[in-house]
Amino acid sequence: MGIRYEKDGRVARVTLDRPHVLNAMNRAMHAELAEVWDDFEADDDLWVAVLTGAGERAFSVGQDLKELAARQVDGTAGRSSFGSRGKPGWPRLTERFDLVKPVVAAVRGYAYGGGFELAMACDLVIASDDAVFALPETRLGLIAGAGGVFRLVRQAPFRVALGHLLTGRPMTAVRAYELGLINEVVAAEELDACVDGWVADLLRAAPLAVRAAKEAATKSVTMPLPEAFAAEYEWEQRRMLSRDALEGPAAFAEKREPRWEGR
C-alpha cells in the first residue's frame, strides 16, 4: 500500500507513503488515490483534505521512473502525453476540475515533477523552508503532462514559469512564495501546526460557502468580468438556498458561534 488515508473529524488526511523512494508515485498508488478522492468527495462528513508526503525528505518526486523504464523495456508503457485518461487512477487530482471541497498541500522536501503538479492542483499550499519545487521533465525527454505546463504559467508570471518549464531549474520554497505559488513558508518543525491553523480557519467557514467560493473563483478566472457575474454556479445556488445561509447572519446577530450543517 502506498497511500495512508485517515479521517479525523471533518478532515481527510491523505499521505503519500513510499518514503524509501521519496514518495515516487507508481501505478498502484494512483489507483489507490482515485478511491481516496472518490470517498472524500462523497463523504458529507468530510469538509477539508490535507495532502502530504511521508518522511522528512520529500512530498513527492513524481512519477516512479524505475517502474516506467521497466514498462518501456517490456513494451507495456505505451505512449503518453497530457492527462491521465486511460491510466490507473483517472481522473487524478490534477484533473478533478469539479472537486469543490478544499484540499491543502503540506509540502516538505522535494516536490518534483508530478509532486509539484499535485501541489499546484491543491487549493492551499503550505511549505517548510526546506521544500524545493521543480518540473524537471524536459531533462528526461518528458513533459509535465499532469498539468504542470498549464498550471505553472497560470499561477506564476509567464516568463518566469516558462524558464522553469524549459530548463527544469528548481526553486526554493521562499522563491515559490514570492511568485505566489504557495500560501506560507515556515520552519520544518512548525509545518504541521501551521497547516492545522489553516485547516481550523477553513472549518470555521461555512462549508457550502467555501465550496461556492472555490467553484466561482476557479471557473471564472479566465472570464471577462461581465461574463463572470452572469455565469451560473451550481454550488452558489446550493449555498444561497441553504440553511447555513440563514445561520450565519443569525449567529452574528445573536453574538454566538455559527453551527454549520453543510446544508
Side-chain angles (χ1 to χ4, degrees), residues 12-13 19 25 41 44 85-86 88 118 124 141 154 167 186 190 209 220 246 255 263:
R13 300 191 181 274
M25 293 178 285
E41 193 165 8
D44 289 338
R85 185 179 292 273
L118 265 183
L124 303 178
R154 285 167 165 79
T167 67
V186 295
E190 298 173 8
S220 70
L246 304 176
K255 297 182 180 180
R263 62 191 70 184

Side-chain angles (χ1 to χ4, degrees), residues 73-144:
V73 169
D74 67 23
T76 62
R79 305 290 184 182
S80 66
S81 186
F82 299 113
S84 60
R85 185 179 292 273
K87 302 175 186 177
W90 183 85
R92 298 174 184 175
L93 182 63
T94 48
E95 294 167 81
R96 290 191 178 236
F97 306 116
D98 295 326
L99 177 60
V100 292
K101 293 182 181 180
V103 181
V104 181
V107 180
R108 183 168 187 189
Y110 297 111
Y112 274 25
F116 191 8
E117 290 174 304
L118 265 183
M120 285 192 286
C122 293
D123 303 299
L124 303 178
V125 183
I126 317 303
S128 61
D129 55 11
D130 62 358
V132 187
F133 300 84
L135 294 172
E137 283 84 351
T138 57
R139 299 184 181 188
L140 300 165
L142 305 173
I143 195 168

Side-chain angles (χ1 to χ4, degrees), residues 13 39 63 127 238:
R13 300 191 181 274
D39 185 82
Q63 184 173 195
R238 296 191 190 193

